[in-house]
Amino acid sequence: MSTRLTGFGRLIDRSKPLRFTFDGKWMRGHPGDTLASALLANDQMLVGRSFKYHRPRGIVASGAEEPNALVNLGKGGRFEPNQRATTTELFEGLRAESQNRWPSLDFDIGSVNTYLARFLPAGFYYKMFIHPRPFWKHVYEPFIRQSAGLGRAPKDRDGDTYEHFHTHADVLVIGGGVAGLQAAKAAADTGARVFVLEQTAHWGGRAPVDARDEDRIAGQGAADWVAATVAELEAMPNVTLRLRCMGAGVYDHGYVLAYERLRDHAPDATGPRHRLWRIRAKQIISATGAIERPLSFAGNDIPGVMLASAVRDYVVNYAVSPGDRTVIATNNDDAYLTAIVLKKAGLDVPRIVDARAQGGGALMEAAKALGIRVDTGRAIAKVKGGKRVTKVQICAQAGEGGVLDEIACDAVAMSGGWSPVVHLWSHCGGKLFWDDAQAMFRPDAAHPPTGADGQGFVTCAGAASGALDMAHVLEDAHAAGLAAGKAAGGKAKRTKAPETTARADAPIEPVWLMPQGAKVELRTKTWLDFQNDVKVSDVQLAAQEGFESVEHAKRYTTLGMATDQGKLSNINGLAILSDALGQPIPQTGTTTFRPPYTPISMGAIGGEARGVVFQPIRRTPIHGWHEAHGADWEPVGQWRRPYAFPRKGESVHDAVMREVKNTREALGLLDASTLGKLIVKGPDAGKFLDMLYTNMMSTLPVGKCRYGLMCTENGFLTDDGVVARIDEDTFLCHTTTGGADRIHAHMEEWLQTEWWDWKVYVANVTEQFAQVAVVGPNARKVLEKLGGMDVRAEALPFMAWADGRIGDFDARVYRISFSGELSYEIAVRASQGLAFWEALMEAGAEFGAMPYGTEALHIMRAEKGFIMIGDETDGTVIPQDLGLDWAISKKKADYIGKRGQERAHMTDPGRWKLVGLETVDGSVLPDGAYAVGEGLNANGQRVTIGRVTSTYFSPTLGRGIAMGLVKHGPDRMGEVIDFPGTDGKTYRAKIVDPVFHDKEGAKQNV
Amino acid sequence: MLILQCPCCGVMADETELAAGGEAHLKRFGPGSSDDDFESYLFNRVNPKGVHFERWRHAYGCGKWFHAARCTATLEVFGTYSAQVTEPPQEIRDKISARRPGWRWREFG
């Protein structure tokens, strides 16, 4: 069993107990524990179930590489799935639940899959579930979705807060082990501004655990040297140190994201939970260490089989023994350290199984001196056990797995060698090379990620660069620190790396399969990826089926695609793939390393940008009045516009009907302030607008308005609006509400990059004016009551504008109409907008003034057959499709979009064209419905001949009206066509003229 | 995230301040042009791995368009220059030649 030891435990405070629950059961731990160490101290080795076969899963590792110990943490607004127990610091009252099991961790129905494993090989999704076709959607997928998947998605709103910090550094050191600290010291001594990140809660990395009693750094023990160096760095004004802060990703030009966990270990403290650092660094040192590799032998996934380094971490750091009797399996000297530590803790190590025929070096002798039996040239044939290791069978590494010996034990510590953590080096393009002697991919210093100057900006230091023994680590780190400091503008210093004790290790011997000739019944029980249930046999099958590229094999088998992103499995997997393909490992290569290094919270990515500050709302000067008068809001771009103003007890629909009727019969007021207003000014303004609009603007007389269409160079309609000529050199262009910024940018682009010699300025004055549409038969009456300028038809005819006074307000009045009624759009200074609106409401009361919203606006424009950008257009519609040929100049040699509209497909008479649609029974056509014609298309579906673009109930006509694009539509007036609805009904509609109301335009021109 | 210097206001601008505008030095073809020329102007792009010329706008800064010459493979920036030229200035071409002897990009090199 696993239990708490009396000795060791350098990171825990035994004087204080902490209580926590796992699957509802109360357990005890100490401050300094991780959830994983505390679970082991309570003999909870079984922590989850695997993804596919629901096999029992135990803790394997002690850090960020852990594939199995994923739990649901917390509850309510603090619930979070897939949290690694090995990186979760224990606190009082922590609640953890195991995942991917039902009904319980000990008895899981899904584990039946393990007996079906024969039928669930690599790529089984594609093979098994392909026929019959409809079964995927209705049977297979729902079933698989229910049985697969890890933690639950949170239901409640996140109860914590998050923040972003931005900073610059000369040298950013990622990793606070001895390499990171030495590199930081060397860089800081050059005078550079240094930032040091460490993902755990402790400085020093593995050194304090891995140092032997006799090891010294600069004459000190490893832990003492770490403490002294951290103290030195803390005292330097040019150094910033951050614990619990992980370098998550390295990006272009020295941009780095770092993820600081401020309150995960102290949830009741105040302040944000996570902080995302957005760092620009001139130089980056990746001192991210190395990760131990598992060995591939049958039963290596049974709880109790752990990495050798993790076993000694649990003993030394947390005083936890993973087992009473631990068999060690290795191909290198490092695992002997684990044997020695276990022996010193008074635990039994019945055997060290060393795959190397010659065995190890000095560490092997040290282990033997402690009385531990070492078998060389041996391998583990199979681990036996269910929810816990019970024994191992030993065989010859060179053989096929014939059992030579059986050893009862409750834990296995394995070491397949070390892989440098090259993720951050690789994120932005650093290349790797295969080091045969050390059996690892290492950063290729000749091909670093390059910055704006073409020079490398990332250096790896220590184990991350492939230096495994202490002397090399410190020399390498020191050199990296000096070079980075200098490259970032520091002063070169002649300093030296500290002296260390040498360790005489025998070389590693690569072992990718144990035993090397393992038979198929062993290989189908030999796991590569513990979380995604990928076995040696799966990768071999993928290779056999032709998935020879490592990227293909990865996706076919899902190797390395789990939340741990293959930190333990990738190298072993591609070694197996290389073997199956009969090619050397570097020829197979690695899959792509992508950020983040380990998952970071969505909260941290969002930072402060949530709720009301996620996307600030733009408000017109009259917004508050609308709010006070019960507006039902509609988002339009970043604005909120009133959709309608329902009265007490009135439905929104009824309010819209009332608003249309009142505007047509009496007086309606619309807040049109959101309409884009662009001033285009200069001697070439007319020439410029002639290029921008499809019609002629340069001939527009001063004092007049003209409706214009704007297209993209592709010919497609992109915006429309009324242009007013203010003076000889000045135009005011109205754009759609959502289009103001886009059209402003469009104008700037052409002026700056194509016609830069034209003398034109553009200014966006959208927010400088409030604009109110005064609409209806009584529009003139209310303006005349307020008094001021002459608004009679003789003085201010339709499509004219004038400056003057309306009541107490300076106003610019446009006689334009989007409703077909007598209409004045009146612009006043933004600061006067609310007062002007209130004055109109007050003066208009006797004339039946009511505000109306965007839906009434839409209905009235549809009754008049006016198009709306975004309804009648969708980026594939040209003005000619909409019957707007009258607004396209035939005289102009060129305008943006003209050449595009001349292409064969645009002049095809078979294009769908705008028509009006009237349902036969007066009902409302469904929005977006398609019309069907005779015959079937290649997919056996009915041929479509048109679609609905706008559809409303018209209170004016008392029936449904619609506009749509129909093939040969204008030539088919009076024909009835079918629109099958998604509700199973078929709607029948007659093709009619799109102008439903006041075809002559008599009402607006009075 | 790239950093490019805006030649108009001089700011070393993070990519979040900038809006990408696609390939640089396109010649506009309007009415009267052949279908091939128009298609090429509208759609055909060289999309190279290596030396490239691009249009950028300092959208959340001074608002001005500019050109950038950079390597799409190594992210090295050879220089930024005015939007109001129809081909890369000699000074920029020399800088590229110093770093990438024998470079070619469309008709330039």
Side-chain angles (χ1 to χ4, degrees):
Chain A
M1 63 183 288
S2 57
T3 185
R4 188 78 74 180
L5 300 161
T6 47
F8 292 103
R10 67 181 195 100
L11 298 182
I12 58 165
D13 176 3
R14 288 175 195 266
S15 67
K16 290 187 195 132
L18 291 179
R19 279 156 47 85
F20 70 101
T21 66
F22 178 72
D23 282 345
K25 193 173 137 197
W26 283 100
M27 297 183 176
R28 280 168 172 277
H30 295 294
D33 260 325
T34 63
L35 175 57
S37 69
L39 286 168
L40 287 173
N42 287 274
D43 197 25
Q44 186 70 48
M45 177 61 86
L46 176 66
V47 290
R49 293 273 174 172
S50 66
F51 188 72
K52 194 157 125 189
Y53 304 130
H54 290 243
R55 301 255 304 181
R57 287 285 181 255
I59 294 161
V60 173
S62 55
E65 68 275 27
E66 172 62 38
N68 291 341
L70 301 179
V71 295
N72 294 319
L73 273 190
K75 60 173 181 177
R78 284 186 165 162
F79 172 82
E80 205 163 24
N82 293 332
Q83 297 302 295
R84 279 179 310 284
T86 50
T87 57
T88 301
E89 292 177 57
L90 197 68
F91 55 85
E92 178 65 29
L94 178 147
R95 281 171 59 114
E97 280 175 357
S98 56
Q99 302 185 156
N100 206 30
R101 82 301 190 263
W102 184 83
S104 77
L105 185 55
D106 267 320
F107 177 74
D108 175 35
I109 296 277
S111 62
V112 68
N113 285 2
T114 194
Y115 302 105
L116 301 175
R118 209 152 66 79
F119 306 106
L120 304 172
F124 74 101
Y125 283 88
Y126 316 109
K127 292 169 182 159
M128 300 263 302
F129 302 122
I130 202 79
H131 295 293
R133 282 271 181 177
F135 269 52
W136 173 253
K137 189 174 169 192
H138 299 293
V139 181
Y140 300 138
E141 194 186 7
F143 177 76
I144 290 169
R145 289 229 179 270
Q146 198 191 0
S147 53
L150 291 168
R152 293 194 318 273
K155 284 201 181 72
D156 295 336
R157 210 178 159 77
D158 192 331
D160 285 302
T161 58
Y162 302 84
E163 67 185 13
H164 286 185
F165 269 23
H166 297 251
T167 194
H168 290 258
D170 291 333
V171 178
L172 173 68
V173 180
I174 302 172
V178 290
L181 294 174
Q182 181 60 36
K185 181 73 178 45
D189 282 339
T190 69
R193 210 179 140 236
V194 179
F195 217 83
V196 191
L197 312 177
E198 165 55 38
Q199 64 180 350
T200 71
H202 308 280
W203 299 106
R206 296 207 56 81
V209 175
D210 289 355
R212 298 165 301 171
D213 293 342
E214 64 268 33
D215 285 338
R216 289 288 173 277
I217 305 174
Q220 295 170 293
D224 293 339
W225 182 86
V226 167
T229 308
V230 169
E232 256 184 279
L233 290 170
E234 272 172 347
M236 296 179 82
N238 55 332
V239 176
T240 306
L241 299 164
R242 308 302 301 182
L243 282 174
R244 299 187 176 98
C245 190
M246 175 186 76
V250 172
Y251 304 84
D252 307 348
H253 291 184
Y255 182 66
V256 174
L257 285 186
Y259 175 59
E260 186 173 11
R261 298 165 68 191
L262 296 161
R263 278 203 299 104
D264 279 350
H265 61 293
D268 294 329
T270 53
R273 176 170 171 238
H274 297 152
R275 176 181 292 151
L276 194 70
W277 288 84
R278 307 174 70 168
I279 306 169
R280 279 284 186 188
K282 289 181 188 159
Q283 288 288 313
I284 296 162
I285 294 175
S286 172
T288 43
I291 290 176
E292 196 166 26
R293 292 191 292 260
L295 282 167
S296 299
F297 47 77
N300 61 350
D301 70 322
I302 294 170
V305 181
M306 298 174 70
L307 294 174
S309 58
V311 169
R312 58 181 189 273
D313 280 343
Y314 286 116
V315 173
V316 175
N317 287 336
Y318 308 106
V320 169
S321 75
D324 298 339
R325 284 168 63 79
T326 306
V327 169
I328 313 266
T330 187
N331 66 343
N332 66 86
D333 276 18
D334 228 41
Y336 286 89
L337 285 173
T338 303
I340 294 166
V341 160
L342 288 170
K343 203 73 184 170
K344 283 187 181 163
L347 297 161
D348 202 4
V349 181
R351 198 76 51 94
I352 298 175
V353 182
D354 192 329
R356 297 171 293 180
Q358 317 300 328
L363 280 169
M364 179 174 79
E365 299 311 324
K368 281 183 176 170
L370 288 169
I372 305 173
R373 178 174 158 187
V374 178
D375 286 3
T376 58
R378 292 284 184 266
I380 291 183
K382 194 172 195 178
V383 177
K384 301 282 234 178
K387 288 170 203 155
R388 186 74 200 239
V389 173
T390 54
K391 61 186 169 190
V392 296
Q393 296 176 329
I394 307 294
C395 65
Q397 168 61 16
E400 295 185 337
V403 177
L404 303 173
D405 199 357
E406 257 192 16
I407 308 166
C409 61
D410 59 355
V412 176
M414 60 182 168
S415 176
W418 292 81
S419 297
V421 175
V422 295
H423 298 64
L424 296 169
W425 167 264
S426 302
H427 282 169
C428 200
K431 298 283 183 287
L432 304 173
F433 74 98
W434 178 254
D435 179 339
D436 241 348
Q438 296 198 90
M440 58 167 70
F441 275 108
R442 291 173 59 184
D444 178 359
H447 295 100
T450 47
D453 55 1
Q455 307 300 313
F457 66 89
V458 183
T459 320
C460 289
S465 77
L468 289 187
D469 69 280
M470 187 57 74
H472 275 131
V473 164
L474 289 172
E475 274 165 31
D476 186 62
H478 186 75
L482 276 185
K486 207 173 146 224
K491 286 212 175 75
K493 292 271 165 130
R494 270 196 211 137
T495 49
K496 275 193 170 167
E499 298 280 332
T500 52
T501 324
R503 202 176 93 179
D505 280 9
I508 185 177
E509 198 173 288
V511 170
W512 306 117
L513 190 57
M514 228 182 199
Q516 67 158 18
K519 284 184 276 189
V520 67
E521 57 265 36
L522 294 180
R523 283 184 272 127
T524 54
K525 292 287 176 213
T526 302
W527 262 255
L528 290 168
D529 186 323
F530 299 111
Q531 194 179 129
N532 259 4
D533 270 331
V534 182
K535 300 169 294 180
V536 166
S537 54
D538 293 319
V539 173
Q540 290 171 331
L541 180 66
Q544 197 183 319
E545 293 185 351
F547 293 89
E548 296 181 359
S549 148
V550 63
E551 298 282 5
H552 292 162
K554 166 182 169 173
R555 282 154 184 83
Y556 191 57
T557 60
T558 73
L559 176 86
M561 288 172 66
T563 59
D564 63 333
Q565 288 287 289
K567 289 188 177 63
L568 295 187
S569 62
N570 274 349
I571 303 295
N572 286 348
L574 65 92
I576 294 290
L577 182 64
S578 302
D579 178 65
L581 297 171
Q583 66 188 24
I585 288 172
Q587 198 175 322
T588 305
T590 63
T591 52
T592 310
F593 295 91
R594 293 193 177 86
Y597 174 61
T598 64
I600 64 177
S601 64
M602 295 304 289
I605 294 169
E608 299 90 340
R610 55 194 279 191
V612 287
V613 296
F614 178 71
Q615 191 184 44
I617 292 173
R618 295 174 78 178
R619 294 177 169 83
T620 74
I622 313 168
H623 187 100
W625 189 96
H626 303 323
E627 208 158 43
H629 290 77
D632 190 68
W633 295 103
E634 176 185 34
V636 185
Q638 284 159 318
W639 300 95
R640 290 285 177 281
R641 297 191 72 180
Y643 179 88
F645 294 86
R647 293 174 171 174
K648 214 169 190 165
E650 188 182 40
S651 73
V652 173
H653 175 78
D654 290 346
V656 171
M657 297 298 116
R658 169 178 55 75
E659 289 169 14
V660 172
K661 208 160 174 292
N662 184 69
T663 306
R664 291 244 183 265
E665 290 170 5
L667 180 58
L669 297 179
L670 176 80
D671 179 1
S673 307
T674 60
L675 276 187
K677 304 165 205 78
L678 305 176
I679 298 279
V680 178
K681 191 178 179 73
D684 293 320
K687 179 163 104 171
F688 177 60
L689 292 184
D690 281 348
M691 287 303 291
L692 251 85
Y693 287 93
T694 59
N695 46 356
M696 196 76 94
M697 287 300 173
S698 54
T699 57
L700 180 64
V702 173
K704 292 289 184 191
C705 302
R706 187 170 288 167
Y707 174 72
L709 305 171
M710 246 187 246
C711 296
T712 62
E713 194 67 313
N714 242 315
F716 300 126
L717 192 52
T718 187
D719 208 70
D720 69 347
V722 170
V723 177
R725 189 160 201 166
I726 306 302
D727 60 38
E728 193 52 34
D729 280 356
T730 312
F731 294 81
L732 187 136
C733 302
H734 288 105
T735 74
T736 57
T737 291
D741 296 310
R742 181 170 52 86
I743 298 302
H744 181 208
H746 176 66
M747 290 181 172
E748 282 292 339
E749 180 178 353
W750 285 96
L751 281 175
Q752 290 182 36
T753 68
E754 189 68 25
W755 303 308
W756 58 76
D757 52 334
W758 293 12
K759 296 188 178 95
V760 185
Y761 282 113
V762 180
N764 186 346
V765 295
T766 302
E767 293 188 348
Q768 272 60 45
F769 293 98
Q771 199 148 316
V772 179
V774 182
V775 183
N778 296 339
R780 189 172 287 134
K781 290 181 199 154
V782 69
L783 298 182
E784 285 177 340
K785 179 179 170 192
L786 283 170
M789 61 194 285
D790 189 351
V791 294
R792 288 171 304 145
E794 307 82 73
L796 190 61
F798 186 53
M799 295 307 274
W801 68 271
D803 282 342
R805 300 271 296 175
I806 299 281
D808 299 328
F809 303 91
D810 290 329
R812 174 167 290 165
V813 183
Y814 307 91
R815 272 277 325 257
I816 53 181
S817 177
F818 198 42
S819 56
E821 296 301 324
L822 170 64
S823 164
Y824 297 83
E825 289 203 12
I826 304 170
V828 299
R829 286 184 196 94
S831 57
Q832 298 290 298
L834 179 60
F836 181 60
W837 175 272
E838 286 175 334
L840 283 167
M841 285 302 296
E842 198 189 321
E846 63 173 296
F847 306 113
M850 284 183 199
Y852 68 95
T854 51
E855 187 62 4
L857 161 108
H858 276 105
I859 292 175
M860 287 189 281
R861 67 92 195 171
E863 288 172 344
K864 283 290 293 174
F866 294 145
I867 63 136
M868 179 67 83
I869 298 293
D871 284 339
E872 275 62 48
T873 70
D874 64 357
T876 69
V877 171
I878 57 174
Q880 291 86 341
D881 296 339
L882 302 178
L884 294 169
D885 303 72
W886 59 268
I888 303 170
S889 166
K890 308 276 183 301
K891 288 186 218 146
K892 291 195 297 188
D894 195 5
Y895 60 81
I896 295 168
K898 184 176 171 73
R899 177 64 184 83
Q901 290 160 3
E902 289 168 356
R903 287 175 294 175
H905 180 58
M906 302 299 164
T907 55
D908 181 353
R911 284 184 73 84
W912 295 2
K913 303 233 173 192
L914 188 76
V915 292
L917 296 164
E918 263 182 21
T919 46
V920 173
D921 59 1
S923 63
V924 179
L925 274 173
D927 203 0
Y930 275 81
V932 292
E934 294 301 319
L936 303 176
N937 67 14
N939 292 326
Q941 300 152 329
R942 295 187 67 183
V943 166
T944 55
I945 55 162
R947 63 184 164 86
V948 174
T949 55
S950 295
T951 175
Y952 304 95
F953 182 79
S954 160
T956 314
L957 301 165
R959 59 175 349 279
I961 60 165
M963 287 193 270
L965 293 163
V966 175
K967 192 172 181 179
H968 302 303
D971 304 328
R972 300 169 66 174
M973 287 295 157
E975 256 183 66
V976 174
I977 53 175
D978 288 351
F979 291 86
T982 50
D983 54 5
K985 283 190 242 167
T986 294
Y987 295 80
R988 310 205 71 212
K990 189 166 78 175
I991 299 175
V992 297
D993 187 284
V995 185
F996 292 94
H997 175 66
D998 185 26
K999 285 191 205 300
E1000 306 74 38
K1003 290 192 77 180
Q1004 67 195 14
N1005 199 8
V1006 291
Chain B
M1 185 164 64
L2 302 177
I3 300 176
L4 297 174
Q5 183 166 33
C6 173
C8 301
C9 66
V11 161
M12 298 295 293
D14 267 14
E15 201 174 325
T16 46
E17 279 181 51
L18 305 170
E23 193 170 307
H25 306 306
L26 297 174
K27 179 175 162 28
R28 180 169 185 261
F29 284 90
S33 58
S34 70
D35 277 354
D36 284 350
D37 281 345
F38 185 68
E39 180 199 18
S40 181
Y41 155 59
L42 215 52
F43 302 115
N44 293 348
R45 301 292 181 263
V46 289
N47 191 27
K49 180 177 182 181
V51 173
H52 195 30
F53 296 85
E54 296 168 328
R55 304 182 329 136
W56 289 84
R57 185 181 179 220
H58 195 187
Y60 297 96
C62 68
K64 296 298 184 193
W65 284 87
F66 62 91
H67 283 124
R70 67 181 188 100
C71 175
T72 58
T74 66
L75 308 184
E76 180 169 356
V77 178
F78 305 111
T80 55
Y81 54 96
S82 166
Q84 282 130 35
V85 290
T86 53
E87 55 182 56
Q90 194 57 45
E91 176 210 3
I92 294 287
R93 294 192 214 190
D94 291 345
K95 278 185 185 166
I96 300 170
S97 296
R99 300 283 303 165
R100 301 280 189 282
W103 66 278
R104 293 285 308 164
W105 184 81
R106 292 200 333 223
E107 69 268 34
F108 306 111

